[in-house]
Amino acid sequence: GLLEGFSCGVGIAHGRAIAGQIGTTQQAKIGVFGPIVNQGSRIEGLTRQFGVSICIDEATANFVRMLMPPEEGRYRRLARVRPKGMNTPLLVHELLPPETGESNVNNMEMLNYEAALDAVIAGRWDEALERLNAVSDEDGPKNFLLTQMAKLNNTPPADWDGAFSLD
């Protein structure tokens, strides 16, 4: 088929932005502006690093938790990261279809992954590596964590604050 192998990444951030027209009457551009727009763009860029389709920020994940029943969709925490040029760490989540749907991530794997992530953030990397064994090798976020930890010789740095600084 024409779209075989086609995929795209979506990043969603929730917050206040300014929308409107800037420029002159000859050369006008309509757009949205503000830090949250930049954050959405950064989060979209992370979909490739995590190997997932949809990344969302913490505010959006809170809405999903409150408003979306699990039979419509789920989310999992992916990692605490500091994207290049940002000082504040972001807790990035993945938006997933229901367990019965198109998803190749079952609830058990999600629980194992999030337990591993908690250990990563807390600096218990030996435990994290052990817990990641229970997650499929095909899982993009698992491979992201393994890669980031390996870059640091599988030992949390002395100033570890639970967030990976990304280049």
Side-chain angles (χ1 to χ4, degrees):
L2 182 64
L3 292 176
E4 200 166 323
F6 176 82
S7 70
C8 73
V10 177
I12 303 170
H14 175 83
R16 292 180 73 84
I18 295 170
Q21 182 176 325
I22 59 164
T24 64
T25 47
Q26 289 81 25
Q27 179 92 45
K29 181 183 168 191
I30 310 267
V32 285
F33 311 92
I36 200 72
V37 179
N38 183 22
Q39 185 170 305
S41 172
R42 298 293 178 90
I43 289 171
E44 181 269 318
L46 292 174
T47 58
R48 286 183 288 286
Q49 291 200 40
F50 285 112
V52 301
S53 299
I54 306 174
C55 279
I56 60 177
D57 70 352
E58 212 163 344
T60 307
N62 288 334
F63 283 111
V64 172
R65 184 173 58 241
M66 289 185 310
L67 303 171
M68 185 180 279
E71 59 275 8
E72 284 179 24
R74 304 167 296 154
Y75 72 94
R76 70 166 157 171
R77 291 174 300 129
L78 291 178
R80 264 172 64 93
V81 295
R82 204 178 285 99
K84 187 178 170 68
M86 287 183 81
N87 299 325
T88 315
L90 297 175
L91 183 58
V92 184
H93 300 69
E94 176 185 14
L95 189 60
L96 287 156
E99 188 176 22
T100 53
E102 297 294 301
S103 183
N104 48 9
V105 181
N106 65 40
N107 287 339
M108 198 64 207
E109 281 212 303
M110 269 176 52
L111 289 171
N112 284 322
Y113 180 87
E114 289 199 338
L117 177 62
D118 287 336
V120 167
I121 291 171
R124 301 189 310 272
W125 288 15
D126 291 345
E127 179 192 332
L129 291 166
E130 207 173 296
R131 287 184 176 273
L132 284 171
N133 286 331
V135 179
S136 162
D137 290 338
E138 256 77 286
D139 190 57
K142 168 186 175 166
N143 292 314
F144 173 87
L145 288 185
L146 290 174
T147 301
Q148 295 299 322
M149 287 191 286
K151 281 182 187 172
L152 299 164
N153 298 319
N154 289 323
T155 309
D159 60 352
W160 179 246
D161 64 356
F164 293 108
S165 294
L166 304 178
D167 38 27

